[in-house]
């Protein structure tokens, strides 16, 4: 039996890490092409240029907003002369940079400005339509050569991004555990090693221990050990855990939720959190564990009802569209070690909504 784990070439994290960008990028060449989201382009470009130094010639292009085939083709044409691609910004900008680098056969350095997803470390780009609906996974032959995370930048981003990242990371252990039990494949197409499952569990434990403290630090725009721990969980541990441990129902249900336009204003991790709660219902997890996860979501401000992701009053026909997309052939929901069907997914989503609503009425959330 073969097991396989995959990792980024280097992971650099800490306050002020942008100053080391030139040192990291120079190992791959002197001509860098940067895909920068609007925040990075408008706010961080002077610091990026200073971090790269005079030895690196930088060309930068503003990211158009969706990691679509059309956007990847546009940027690849502009980047054809570069030695190395640098992605700077949020998850979709980073996935686009990875796809551009893949098409051009160049190394890629990834610089997340928010800790909202586990996209930075992975050999994966999630491709959407130009309108924002999930289209497919693009599995890449290599992980990023460098992932550089400046926690000083992360701390100054809106708190909602960090919380959404916790929602994405929250799924990691549950999905990896389902893959371990079902002997489902990870993103390499093989089983994961025990290292991957242990890292996935560490991701979950870190969130529960430090999530509330990290959110408080981010609200004050300061870097603390708790914030460092959660940024690492959101970015590195979740990235390694999902990629080498495997995905299951939570991300498949997220992909299903994207077919409803009402969810497009909500972040990836917010929808994954609903998918994780649905996974717990679908996979018949112990009630004490379900209570623990609902409680964590409530404490950090993750959604626990359908209304919290724009689906208040949603009818069963719309939820069936979600469920049918989640249960599409080849989707990761089939790594669930329990009976799966669109009808059961709808039931799980309704159960999540009912429990989240009941808890909210019993103990109203404190104002954010």
């Amino acid at each position: 039996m073969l097991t396989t784990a995959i990792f980024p070439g280097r992971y650099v994290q800490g306050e002020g890490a942008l100053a080391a960008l030139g040192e990291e990028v120079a190992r791959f060449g002197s001509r860098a092409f940067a895909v920068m989201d609007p925040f990075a382009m408008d706010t961080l470009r002077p610091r990026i240029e200073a971090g790269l130094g005079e030895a690196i010639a930088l060309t930068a292009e503003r990211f158009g907003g969706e990691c679509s085939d059309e956007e990847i083709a546009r940027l690849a044409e502009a980047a054809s002369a570069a030695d190395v691609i640098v992605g700077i910004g949020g998850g979709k900008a980073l996935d686009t940079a990875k796809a551009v680098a893949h098409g051009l056969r160049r190394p890629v350095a990834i610089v997340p400005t928010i800790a909202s997803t586990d996209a930075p470390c992975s050999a994966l780009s999630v491709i959407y339509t130009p309108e924002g609906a999930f289209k497919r996974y693009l599995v890449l032959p290599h992980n990023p050569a460098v992932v550089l995370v400046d926690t000083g930048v992360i701390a100054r981003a809106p708190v909602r991004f960090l919380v959404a990242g916790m929602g994405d990371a929250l799924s990691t252990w549950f999905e990896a555990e389902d893959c371990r039990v079902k002997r489902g494949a990870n993103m390499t197409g093989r089983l994961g090693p025990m290292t991957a499952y242990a890292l996935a569990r560490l991701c979950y434990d870190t969130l529960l221990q430090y999530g509330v403290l990290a959110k408080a630090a981010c609200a004050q725009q300061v870097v603390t050990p708790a914030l460092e721990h959660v940024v690492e969980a959101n970015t590195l541990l979740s990235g390694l855990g999902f990629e080498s441990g495997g995905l299951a129902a939570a991300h498949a249900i997220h992909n299903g939720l994207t077919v409803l336009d009402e969810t497009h204003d909500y972040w990836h991790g917010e929808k994954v959190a609903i998918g994780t709660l649905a996974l717990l219902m679908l996979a018949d997890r112990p009630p004490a564990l379900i209570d623990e996860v609902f409680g964590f979501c409530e404490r950090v401000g993750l959604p626990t009802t359908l209304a919290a992701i724009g689906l208040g009053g949603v009818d069963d026909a719309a939820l069936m569209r979600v469920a049918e997309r989640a249960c599409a052939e080849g989707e990761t929901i089939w790594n669930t070690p329990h009976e799966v069907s669109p009808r059961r997914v709808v039931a799980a989503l309704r159960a999540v909504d009912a429990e989240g609503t009941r808890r909210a009425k019993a103990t109203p959330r404190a104002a954010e």
Side-chain angles (χ1 to χ4, degrees):
M1 178 185 71
L2 293 178
T3 64
T4 302
I6 50 178
F7 303 87
R10 290 166 73 95
Y11 183 83
V12 181
Q13 178 181 311
E15 191 170 12
L18 280 177
L21 183 59
E23 174 187 347
E24 297 296 333
V25 169
R27 292 183 292 111
F28 306 104
S30 60
R31 296 172 298 175
F33 179 88
V35 178
M36 301 175 71
D37 72 8
F39 169 79
M41 182 71 81
D42 297 340
T43 306
L44 294 179
R45 184 163 182 169
R47 291 181 61 189
I48 297 295
E49 292 175 343
L52 288 171
E54 296 182 359
I56 305 294
L58 175 67
T59 302
E61 187 75 19
R62 185 182 294 262
F63 173 56
E66 285 296 343
C67 183
S68 64
D69 289 316
E70 294 80 359
E71 181 70 356
I72 292 163
R74 179 183 76 84
L75 293 168
E77 183 176 359
S80 59
D83 299 319
V84 55
I85 308 301
V86 183
I88 308 171
K92 289 186 177 183
L94 304 183
D95 274 6
T96 302
K98 287 187 286 183
V100 169
H102 167 61
L104 296 175
R105 299 181 182 274
R106 303 288 196 277
V108 63
I110 293 297
V111 183
T113 56
I114 53 179
S116 66
T117 74
D118 52 22
C121 293
S122 71
L124 179 73
S125 291
V126 183
I127 309 300
Y128 295 85
T129 68
E131 295 74 34
F134 172 79
K135 186 175 182 181
R136 72 181 191 282
Y137 291 120
L138 173 62
V139 179
L140 306 169
H142 304 289
N143 294 74
V146 179
V147 178
L148 185 144
V149 186
D150 191 322
T151 45
V153 174
I154 302 297
R156 288 166 178 78
V159 174
R160 183 181 175 188
F161 294 136
L162 183 75
V163 172
M166 287 191 258
D168 197 18
L170 182 64
S171 69
T172 305
W173 176 53
F174 298 110
E175 294 192 288
E177 183 67 4
D178 277 359
C179 289
R180 186 189 67 81
V181 172
K182 184 74 175 284
R183 299 179 67 78
N186 64 19
M187 301 310 291
T188 73
R190 296 174 178 159
L191 299 180
M194 66 178 186
T195 301
Y197 305 122
L199 291 173
R201 177 67 204 216
L202 178 60
C203 181
Y204 179 70
D205 291 342
T206 301
L207 294 177
L208 262 61
Q209 186 172 3
Y210 295 107
V212 173
L213 293 173
K215 180 182 178 183
C218 190
Q220 297 301 313
Q221 299 189 337
V222 296
V223 177
T224 64
L227 182 71
E228 293 278 11
H229 297 328
V230 167
V231 169
E232 184 176 342
N234 286 7
T235 309
L236 181 61
L237 290 175
S238 184
L240 297 176
F242 100 76
E243 193 169 30
S244 294
L247 296 174
H251 276 79
I253 291 170
H254 161 273
N255 295 341
L257 288 167
T258 68
V259 306
L260 301 183
D261 292 344
E262 296 92 333
T263 71
H264 290 182
D265 289 336
Y266 297 86
W267 290 98
H268 172 83
E270 294 168 339
K271 288 175 278 192
V272 171
I274 292 294
T276 300
L277 293 170
L279 175 156
L280 298 175
M281 300 295 189
L282 187 68
D284 193 26
R285 290 297 211 277
L289 182 58
I290 293 173
D291 179 70
E292 180 177 81
V293 178
F294 266 98
F296 172 77
C297 290
E298 289 161 353
R299 289 192 300 276
V300 299
L302 285 166
T304 59
T305 65
L306 294 177
I309 56 167
L311 298 179
V314 65
D315 60 27
D316 282 349
L319 286 184
M320 184 56 71
R321 290 176 56 206
V322 170
E324 288 173 347
R325 177 62 188 82
C327 294
E329 183 179 355
E331 257 295 357
T332 58
I333 200 168
W334 301 108
N335 286 331
T336 303
H338 290 268
E339 183 180 349
V340 171
S341 69
R343 180 179 61 82
R344 286 180 175 267
V345 171
V346 171
L349 287 167
R350 286 296 187 200
V352 168
D353 190 53
E355 176 62 6
T357 301
R358 181 193 69 79
R359 294 171 68 101
K361 289 178 178 177
T363 310
R365 246 184 229 180
E368 294 292 329

